[in-house]
Amino acid sequence: MTPTRALADMYHLTDRQADIYAWIVAHVAVKGYPPAIREIGKRFDIRSPNGVLSQLMALRTKGAIDWQPGKARTIRPLVRLIHPSQPTLAK
């Protein structure tokens, strides 16, 4: 089982939500800061910022991410993927 699939199962994420979450985690790991709404939209071919926000709201409701409304690049994952079978809360 992949870390993304383990997270999806744990938080009942759809495949698309799990992919977006994994990409956000990877973006933060590589670049050191969270992606912008438009970057997420471009990566996942979501044309409207509202479409991206809808996906992010679902991830937030399910406890996978959080952010500060009205501020740029504040998306933060709440779960770290340490081992495929053991997602754990981020510190």
Side-chain angles (χ1 to χ4, degrees):
M1 179 181 292
T2 66
T4 302
R5 187 74 256 151
L7 179 75
D9 290 346
M10 184 175 169
Y11 284 93
H12 308 289
L13 302 180
T14 66
D15 289 342
R16 185 168 180 111
Q17 290 166 355
D19 290 345
I20 291 171
Y21 178 81
W23 187 79
I24 290 169
V25 170
H27 187 283
V28 171
V30 169
K31 296 197 174 188
Y33 55 88
I37 301 294
R38 290 186 189 272
E39 290 174 312
I40 297 169
K42 183 176 181 180
R43 168 61 180 84
F44 291 95
D45 198 30
I46 303 171
R47 299 186 196 287
S48 164
N50 284 336
V52 174
L53 286 173
S54 174
Q55 293 292 328
L56 294 177
M57 287 299 295
L59 287 168
R60 184 185 212 181
T61 299
K62 294 177 180 183
I65 66 168
D66 197 15
W67 76 84
Q68 295 177 5
K71 294 191 176 186
R73 296 188 186 271
T74 60
I75 300 167
R76 67 184 180 100
L78 297 179
V79 177
R80 292 182 304 177
L81 302 177
I82 294 176
H83 184 273
S85 63
Q86 300 174 339
T88 140
L89 293 177
K91 292 182 180 182

